[in-house]
Amino acid sequence: MDENHKVNSLLADMKSNEVMFSYCGEFSFAAINNILCYAKEDMISRNIERRVYKRVYAVLVECLENILKHGLVKGDALNDTTEGALVVCKNERGYQIKTGNFIQNSEISQLMEKIEKVMSFSLTMLKEEYEYQLLNGSVSDRGGAGLGLLDLAIKSNQSISYSFEAMDTEHSFFLMEINIK
């Protein structure tokens, strides 16, 4: 796909959806806190039904944490940040949360395997696996207990899509879209 086609596709997508808010740049705990505060205020001002608001907000929290925890780290040990992008849209079907961040190419196959495994579960199996991980899972070196993808799949009714754009021989840009009806 050439660059012009990618840009035109992105612009068409943005026009067909109501972009509620977006962010592109460095992700840190402070940036995430600011994004979440803005998102909360924005959704309240739009009078989004409470049940839907809670699901969108929970998915947004998980997506932002994933960017920070699993994105390609830049900076020193005291000021770790990752670069990424976030777009939250509303359309006739519901809400879309689109995220992107850089990752090591060596992590792609493991990430694909995890996503595909989660997407192969029934909703009942997802809930059972979530409960099992909650009770028996161990915390990884990145601070997760294996609940994030399960939670995203449950809250979005398994409406998750993803892709990888190769940047160079060592890095790719991981794109993920979660739809909430």
Side-chain angles (χ1 to χ4, degrees), residues 3-171:
E3 293 302 315
N4 286 334
H5 181 69
K6 288 179 191 175
V7 170
N8 290 335
S9 175
L10 177 62
L11 291 174
D13 190 40
M14 289 177 80
K15 286 179 184 175
S16 68
N17 295 296
E18 176 188 340
V19 176
M20 295 170 59
F21 52 91
S22 63
Y23 177 82
C24 183
E26 289 191 9
F27 283 78
S28 63
F29 286 112
I32 287 173
N33 188 48
N34 289 337
I35 292 167
L36 291 173
C37 287
Y38 178 81
K40 184 176 185 176
E41 289 174 16
D42 183 71
M43 288 189 286
I44 289 170
S45 73
R46 293 172 189 265
N47 294 318
I48 295 174
E49 181 184 339
R50 182 163 172 75
R51 177 180 59 86
V52 175
Y53 156 78
K54 288 176 77 172
R55 283 178 58 203
V56 171
Y57 190 83
V59 168
L60 184 58
V61 167
E62 186 60 43
C63 288
L64 293 171
E65 285 181 354
N66 283 345
I67 290 173
L68 189 60
K69 286 181 187 175
H70 303 292
L72 192 62
V73 175
K74 48 183 290 198
D76 57 46
L78 296 175
N79 299 308
D80 286 348
T81 61
T82 60
E83 283 188 83
L86 163 75
V87 179
V88 178
C89 304
K90 181 175 182 352
N91 60 34
E92 67 279 351
R93 294 177 312 276
Y95 296 86
Q96 288 180 329
I97 297 175
K98 300 177 182 186
T99 62
N101 60 276
F102 296 98
I103 64 168
Q104 296 281 346
N105 287 340
S106 60
E107 298 175 347
I108 291 175
S109 62
Q110 184 180 10
L111 179 55
M112 285 177 62
E113 188 177 302
K114 284 180 182 179
I115 294 171
E116 292 303 321
K117 180 180 178 185
V118 165
M119 298 305 289
S120 72
F121 290 163
S122 68
L123 191 55
T124 302
M125 288 172 62
L126 281 170
K127 290 177 180 179
E128 288 171 358
E129 182 66 18
Y130 184 89
E131 182 141 341
Y132 176 82
Q133 287 295 328
L134 191 60
L135 296 172
N136 303 307
S138 59
V139 177
S140 72
D141 59 339
R142 291 188 175 177
L147 297 171
L149 280 173
L150 294 167
D151 195 35
L152 290 177
I154 292 167
K155 287 190 172 49
S156 70
N157 200 23
Q158 293 179 296
S159 184
I160 299 172
S161 59
Y162 66 95
S163 64
F164 299 92
E165 294 279 332
M167 303 309 291
D168 56 40
T169 58
E170 294 181 26
H171 307 97

